[in-house]
Amino acid sequence: KMVARKSKYHNEKVEYKGKTFDSKKEFEYYLFLESLEKSGVIKELRTQVPIEIQPSFTDPDGKKERAITYLADFTYIDDQGFHVVDAKGMKTEVYKLKKKLLAFRGIKIEEV
């Protein structure tokens, strides 16, 4: 069953099989990837995967800083390797920065 709700970027959240997708676009791309996985083209499809950009640490003043993470919409594996995918509507400044930091570490975010 699908349930839709509005958000601050005017996209509608969609619930499907116990998973929540931030937009209809993200949900539709999940259905596409799910069909690829069922047909054996891709494997290990995961949603909402946290990827650590920087670990937590204690700064010089003794203040504990939380880890910086990026939450990937999807990850999967195919013949080409490991993929990180974002069904991006609005590219926020924070997203652009995290994308650049991950690219520095050799992790490319594929946007759909």
Side-chain angles (χ1 to χ4, degrees):
K1 186 180 144 202
M2 209 171 85
V3 181
R5 299 187 307 268
K6 291 266 187 224
S7 80
K8 72 177 176 180
Y9 295 115
H10 304 291
N11 51 323
E12 290 188 0
K13 287 192 182 281
V14 178
E15 289 180 23
Y16 173 75
K17 292 185 179 177
K19 297 180 187 298
T20 301
F21 299 92
D22 287 337
S23 66
K24 194 172 175 193
K25 177 182 180 177
E26 184 180 325
F27 166 66
E28 288 171 352
Y29 199 72
Y30 173 77
L31 294 179
F32 168 70
L33 291 175
E34 186 180 51
S35 71
L36 290 180
E37 186 175 46
K38 283 178 183 166
S39 64
V41 176
I42 68 170
K43 61 184 179 182
E44 295 181 38
L45 173 60
R46 293 176 57 210
T47 61
Q48 300 299 300
V49 182
I51 299 173
E52 188 174 79
I53 296 171
Q54 176 184 295
S56 60
F57 68 97
T58 303
D59 77 11
D61 295 327
K63 182 179 179 227
K64 292 205 181 299
E65 295 287 352
R66 291 197 322 221
I68 299 171
T69 58
Y70 164 71
L71 194 61
D73 289 336
F74 310 106
T75 62
Y76 65 88
I77 295 171
D78 69 6
D79 294 345
Q80 311 301 309
F82 180 71
H83 295 264
V84 175
V85 180
D86 197 302
K88 198 38 87 198
M90 186 76 139
K91 291 183 189 174
T92 64
E93 290 306 310
V94 170
Y95 168 77
K96 290 176 192 173
L97 178 62
K98 287 182 177 186
K99 181 179 179 182
K100 198 180 288 188
L101 290 168
L102 285 171
F104 176 75
R105 294 192 35 221
I107 300 170
K108 178 182 180 236
I109 298 174
E110 301 166 27
E111 296 169 355
V112 294

